[in-house]
Amino acid sequence: KKFLNFSDFDTTYISPNRYNYALMLEHFTNYEYYSVGSATPDPQRLRFSPKPHNKIGVYFGWRWIFLGWAIDADGLYGKKSGKKRGTEFDLSLYSSKLGVDIIYRRTGNSYKIHDVTGFSDRIPTDYSEDFDGLKVKMKGLNLYYIFNNRRFSYPAAFSQSTNQRRNAGSFIAGFSVSTHNLDFDYTKLPDIIRETMNPGMKVDHIKYTNISLNFGYAYNWVFARNCLACLSLNPAVAYKTSRINKAEGEKDDWYRNFNIDFILRAGVVYNNSKYFVGTSFVGRTYDYYRNNFSLNNGFGTLQVYAGFNFCLKKEHRKKKRQ
């Protein structure tokens, strides 16, 4: 019963939310990158990233759950293009003891090539070129447990459902599983890159499953009245099993290996229990290395939000009348 009690915290460090509901306006920007590399005969690396994708949404909250609707903001900024947009879905639920992240991403075709390393000397250092030969689909689930949950509050920094009153930190342990599907049509690369490309980078399709255990630390710093800054870093030991479809009729390969991934969370928020405003960032990296081929990808979501709580809970309405 104690394990399932999500309200069991030290009130000298954490004060509970006095309201039943919340309304919030939010702007969020999604970032991502993919990096493909090979070590022989000479080290080479190509980095791809799309333009950041912006959305604006209105959300209704009950305790630590927020539900809402968001629209693509790029059209409002006059940035809409004819290129196919990807699909992103990131849901994070924070309670005092347990947390969960659910992730789904499918890329569009708005990538640019940059950070070209180890290819022709004729390629300038500020090289940038459109590329529509990369398509990625990723699904993932992340579960974690907060050890010092009576004094440290993740919800205070990321879901505004409690208030952190004193500085506190906590060790965090978690489990993650994700699947990654990457289609890489290297024949669409510019000639100046393809003509000196290592054979190990000529991969048609990569499918890998990522299973990891992560352990890290998070700290809440109350730097002023009602003001909180949070930083959390969880390195993860990840077991990866993958199938690589090689080009030019070569035999497909199955690989199994271990790598290190990372989960980063950071946030700054002002919350006087009635009104709140803040910003947060959640980022993840996935690294894959095997023999003569490597794949690194990472993505993050930057949020800027403002809102207010309303409808006092019964116990606080009684206290107010006394």
Side-chain angles (χ1 to χ4, degrees):
K1 290 182 179 179
K2 283 187 176 182
F3 182 81
L4 296 175
N5 186 353
F6 296 114
S7 300
D8 179 25
F9 46 74
D10 186 339
T11 54
T12 61
Y13 282 81
I14 302 169
S15 61
N17 187 0
R18 298 183 297 123
Y19 297 87
N20 285 305
Y21 308 110
L23 193 64
M24 179 176 70
L25 179 66
E26 180 184 49
H27 178 282
F28 56 95
T29 306
N30 289 316
Y31 302 89
E32 61 183 291
Y33 74 86
Y34 295 88
S35 181
V36 178
S38 175
T40 56
D42 296 303
Q44 291 182 337
R45 183 158 295 279
L46 292 172
R47 186 180 173 107
F48 308 88
S49 62
K51 291 182 179 179
H53 191 191
N54 298 282
K55 289 185 178 181
I56 294 177
V58 177
Y59 295 86
F60 174 77
W62 174 71
R63 296 187 179 181
W64 39 272
I65 298 176
F66 275 90
L67 299 174
W69 179 65
I71 62 171
D72 195 323
D74 290 339
L76 302 177
Y77 303 151
K79 296 180 179 180
K80 200 72 175 179
S81 71
K83 294 185 176 182
K84 180 183 175 183
R85 287 290 186 185
T87 301
E88 308 100 3
F89 175 79
D90 293 272
L91 174 64
S92 295
L93 301 178
Y94 302 94
S95 73
S96 61
K97 296 183 179 182
L98 302 172
V100 59
D101 302 316
I102 301 171
I103 308 146
Y104 175 81
R105 287 183 175 244
R106 188 179 70 241
T107 65
N109 60 358
S110 58
Y111 283 91
K112 281 189 173 293
I113 308 169
H114 58 93
D115 290 349
V116 180
T117 304
F119 290 83
S120 171
D121 293 336
R122 293 177 289 143
I123 300 176
T125 55
D126 59 349
Y127 182 84
S128 179
E129 186 77 28
D130 290 336
F131 181 65
D132 64 356
L134 180 63
K135 292 181 175 60
V136 182
K137 185 167 68 174
M138 180 262 185
K139 295 178 288 186
L141 174 69
N142 178 39
L143 301 171
Y144 53 89
Y145 178 77
I146 300 160
F147 288 90
N148 187 23
N149 50 73
R150 298 196 73 250
R151 294 185 173 184
F152 170 85
S153 175
Y154 247 161
F158 297 103
S159 66
Q160 305 82 46
S161 57
T162 58
N163 288 67
Q164 186 84 42
R165 295 306 184 190
R166 294 186 180 182
N167 299 342
S170 177
F171 287 105
I172 298 172
F175 168 80
S176 297
V177 59
S178 59
T179 60
H180 305 249
N181 281 274
L182 182 143
D183 290 311
F184 179 48
D185 189 352
Y186 71 91
T187 63
K188 293 185 176 181
L189 290 168
D191 292 341
I192 195 171
I193 293 177
R194 198 172 65 251
E195 65 190 10
T196 57
M197 190 175 184
N198 286 348
M201 293 178 66
K202 295 180 179 180
V203 172
D204 287 334
H205 181 78
I206 304 162
K207 179 178 181 180
Y208 72 90
T209 299
N210 185 94
I211 301 171
S212 67
L213 296 175
N214 60 77
F215 187 81
Y217 190 79
Y219 190 76
N220 277 349
W221 174 38
V222 182
F223 60 91
R225 181 176 174 82
N226 299 322
C227 295
L228 173 66
C230 177
L231 182 63
S232 169
L233 180 63
N234 280 42
V237 178
Y239 172 75
K240 295 175 171 66
T241 176
S242 61
R243 179 173 182 169
I244 295 181
N245 298 337
K246 296 185 177 180
E248 299 177 350
E250 295 184 17
K251 184 180 178 181
D252 296 346
D253 282 336
W254 281 93
Y255 292 129
R256 294 173 178 83
N257 65 334
F258 288 89
N259 292 126
I260 301 295
D261 299 330
F262 291 94
I263 303 173
L264 170 70
R265 302 174 197 269
V268 178
V269 60
Y270 169 81
N271 186 353
N272 67 3
S273 78
K274 176 66 175 178
Y275 301 98
F276 56 85
V277 60
T279 182
S280 65
F281 178 81
V282 179
R284 302 171 181 85
T285 66
Y286 299 91
D287 295 322
Y288 175 89
Y289 296 94
R290 183 65 188 184
N291 295 345
N292 194 30
F293 178 82
S294 65
L295 170 67
N296 314 96
N297 68 286
F299 56 86
T301 300
L302 175 67
Q303 299 171 290
V304 180
Y305 55 86
F308 62 93
N309 298 302
F310 61 97
C311 187
L312 278 167
K313 295 177 180 178
K314 287 183 179 180
E315 60 268 29
H316 297 292
R317 287 203 295 266
K318 290 177 182 178
K319 290 179 181 179
K320 193 175 181 181
R321 292 192 191 106
Q322 293 175 355

